[in-house]
Amino acid sequence: MYGICCCCGALRPRYKRLVDNIFPEDSEDGLVKANMEKLTFYALSAPEKLDRIGSYLSERLSRDVARHRYGYVCIAMEALDQLLMACHCQSINLFVESFLKMVAKLLESEKPNLQILGTNSFVKFANIEEDTPSYHRSYDFFVSRFSEMCHSSHDDGEIRTKIRMAGIKGLQGVVRKTVNDELQANIWETQHMDKIVPSLLYNLQQVEETESRSPSPLQTSEKEKEIPAELAERCLRELLGRAAYGNIKNAIKPVLMHLDNHSLWEPKLFAIRCFKIIMYSIQPQHSHLVIQQLLGHLDANSKSAATVRAGIVEVLSEAAVIAASGSVGPTVLEVFNTLLRQLRLSIDYELTGTYDSTVNIGTKIIKEHEERMFQEAVIKTIGSFASTLPIYQRSEVMLFIMGKVPLPSMHHAMDFGKAGENRNRLTQIMLLKSLLQVSMGFQCNNMLTALPSSFLDPLLSSALMEDAEIRLFVLEILICLIDRHGNRHKISSISTEPDISVLKLKVDKCSRQDTLFMKKHAQHLYRHIYLSCNEPTNVQTHYEALYFLLVIISIELATEDVVVDLIRLVLAVQEMALNNEDNLPAYCRCAIQALCAAYLSLISNLTTVPAFCQHVHEVIEMRQKEAPYLLPEDIFTEKPQWSSSMDRVETQLLFLQSKISEVLGGSGYNTDRLSTPYVPQLTDEDRLSKRKSIGETISLQVEVESRNSPEKEEKAPAEEITFETLKKAIVDSVAVEEQERERRRQVVEKFQKAPFEEIAAHCGARATLLQSKLNQIFELTIRPPPSPSGTITAAYGQSQNHSIPVYEMKFPDLCVY
């Protein structure tokens, strides 16, 4: 019997005998290395036998797994690994199929050790570069199984960590094996990304619950590197770093879905961390794709809770800071359009109290403070985006935002009623806040092109609104736009004793472009500053902003003419407070006087004209003695002090235009210009800006049109309109039309049927009449009009006629073309 067995064993194929010889009698002895070398040599000598060797090893491994002989399972996997590392021939594809079957067999086992063993073998296989492609190999099972291992919930914490680590390593191996080979399975497909990315994020999320993230992977110890969260982060970075342009969407969408499903937008710390990893890992030229994905997700969640939307917007803000300059992509205005649309929706939600105005049952309760928080987050994000843009694009964005501000004077679509007025006001405030964020840090060399009339006109128009908060935002925006050297932050407060050497203001010579800008827009700007000072609802912050605006213009855009005009403007504001034609409160009148004193004190130090400085100093000293409430040190404090008797202010307490004109004229300034008081031209636009309701605006426009009509004096008193009057007007208009139609018919009939001589005589008569009229006109133009005395007497006593030049003649209206 034994002889028969030996005889049959000798007849077995050589590759089976070589495979059997690598297994010892006792599994604890490990792989027989000498026999393993023989098997490896045989495989290299006869590569066509590799697939049979793999099949036989797979058969033995399956049998050992079923019999729970795990020692022999480990030996078989070790042998497979060595063969895989040694053989790189064309026949390795068939061997790999057997190898992957054995790995799958181990991963299907419930034993953690076998799962980890199979994963380690797969990772070694993933690091091998194959010489020949495989067209039919599939990794779907491995993606699913490794993702399942990443979510392991084993009772033993240490084993659970090992299984999760093995799952992450397995996914990393799948990515490395397939991501760069177009002939392999497409790992970027949605079905794979929906499993890989959430598995990595799930493990990345665990570190948030246990400990804070270490500053850098390079600074961590070896023990900390074994944490699943760290391994998951490295795998996620590697995956995103390999993503091409067309694969970014499939990689980002699972991240957004994971954050939605696990409600991770509200704490927003983990969401921000995820997108920081994404932005730093992907190629820089693909950054705008991530931002577009976030914007689309924000639109999709437009009716979600305010905290969720605020989290998405916060992530957008952080992503915009990381993105390189100009990486927002080709649709820059679309980005801001989306954010402004969300801002408008939030205002509607805040006012209506519901996400859907058509549904009143089962709607969510909207908390006003949460919507306000969301609005502030949107405004911050708009500023973050704008900070990454070049100057020319930022100018377009500012013009775009300004075009969204509802202003009656600009004929924008505005809402009616009390609710409509509230909506308009909130929209104006939020958009101007956004514009302020965009204007921060705005620096341009050519303000004429960066700030066109289409932007400045509506901005200055909104400076005259009744709402004090809106006016303050406009002043702050103007300061940010004009202040290009950061001088605003060097002036801490309003004072009549500014030390120019301590302030260290940066003053450059006014460029030609700035000079042209002031020639075009200066009078418009001065008029709005003057009218802004004449607002009864102004408070301390308004006067401080007006002071800073005057100072910044004097520093940034100062020429000799600009300085003279600003001094004239301030003196006119002083005169306005004295006359008080608009019945300003006593505080406002005192504050205006203090504002004038502070500005003239600073401008006198900047011009360095001793006589000018002396006059300003004398007036300030007199105010300190007799009227300290006219100085900023007393009026612009927490507890301001002012006098209600402002009708009688002594001359020595005022800055005199004649005196200033005299002292500056001696230093070469334009005396004629200084002596001329500044008088603002009040336009219809300024009046319209002060109206809140559309009804007032329409009535005012009608009033303006009627006032400007040339027939104003000739208009008769309007008759009472009744039903009979309207009926008579309709009947009369019908009769007139009938008469006109009959007259035309007669003319046509006459020219068709009358003889030629009659028609010629009729036309000749009309021609003669026309010629006579022309002759009369020519006589009037050639003959000079008589002088008041009939003749002009020459010096020597003879009377003579003087011909008047053609350009001084007054032609009749019919002759003017």
Side-chain angles (χ1 to χ4, degrees), residues 4-192:
I4 295 173
C5 290
C6 292
C7 179
C8 293
L11 294 176
R12 296 178 66 205
R14 185 182 179 190
Y15 72 89
K16 288 189 176 181
R17 285 185 277 124
L18 291 173
V19 169
D20 291 337
N21 291 337
I22 66 174
F23 291 94
E25 293 183 1
D26 188 356
S27 60
E28 294 181 358
D29 294 339
L31 183 67
V32 180
K33 295 182 179 180
N35 293 335
M36 186 64 213
E37 291 177 359
K38 293 179 182 179
L39 179 61
T40 303
F41 180 77
Y42 176 76
L44 292 173
S45 303
E48 67 277 3
K49 301 292 185 181
L50 259 178
D51 59 331
R52 299 183 182 182
I53 295 173
S55 298
Y56 185 60
L57 275 171
S58 176
E59 182 183 338
R60 286 205 54 152
L61 184 137
S62 300
R63 187 169 61 247
D64 292 335
V65 169
R67 295 175 179 178
H68 305 287
R69 300 198 302 182
Y70 301 124
Y72 289 112
V73 172
C74 295
I75 293 173
M77 290 307 300
E78 185 179 354
L80 281 170
D81 293 342
Q82 292 190 21
L83 287 173
L84 205 60
M85 298 295 293
C87 302
H88 295 281
C89 61
Q90 295 182 353
S91 303
I92 197 173
N93 279 332
L94 297 176
F95 175 73
V96 169
E97 293 301 323
S98 301
F99 168 78
L100 293 178
K101 287 180 181 178
M102 287 185 280
V103 172
K105 189 71 175 178
L106 294 179
L107 294 176
E108 289 174 349
S109 173
E110 297 180 357
K111 297 292 183 180
N113 291 336
L114 295 184
Q115 296 176 12
I116 296 172
L117 178 63
T119 303
N120 292 336
S121 295
F122 183 84
V123 171
K124 293 177 183 178
F125 161 71
N127 293 327
I128 298 175
E129 295 184 5
E130 299 183 50
D131 297 332
T132 55
S134 175
Y135 301 97
H136 58 280
R137 194 180 301 164
S138 174
Y139 294 95
D140 294 356
F141 167 78
F142 296 99
V143 171
S144 300
R145 184 56 184 155
F146 289 139
S147 300
E148 184 181 348
M149 291 171 64
C150 289
H151 292 83
S152 173
S153 57
H154 199 279
D155 296 336
D156 191 332
E158 185 176 352
I159 295 177
R160 181 173 62 246
T161 299
K162 289 182 178 180
I163 295 175
R164 289 184 179 181
M165 291 279 291
I168 298 170
K169 290 178 180 178
L171 291 177
Q172 190 176 27
V174 173
V175 171
R176 288 178 179 176
K177 194 65 179 175
T178 60
V179 75
N180 290 327
D181 191 350
E182 296 181 357
L183 298 176
Q184 300 279 9
N186 188 3
I187 202 66
W188 298 107
E189 292 179 356
T190 305
Q191 57 180 346
H192 299 314

Side-chain angles (χ1 to χ4, degrees), residues 11 35 94 132 161 211 285 422 433 470 517 564 595 692:
L11 294 176
N35 293 335
L94 297 176
T132 55
T161 299
E211 58 183 354
Q285 64 269 25
N422 292 336
K433 275 186 177 182
I470 292 177
F517 174 80
V564 170
L595 167 65
K692 288 194 298 183

Side-chain angles (χ1 to χ4, degrees), residues 717-730:
E719 62 176 338
E720 183 180 359
I721 299 176
T722 62
F723 173 75
E724 294 296 332
T725 308
L726 292 175
K727 182 178 178 181
K728 182 179 178 182
I730 294 173

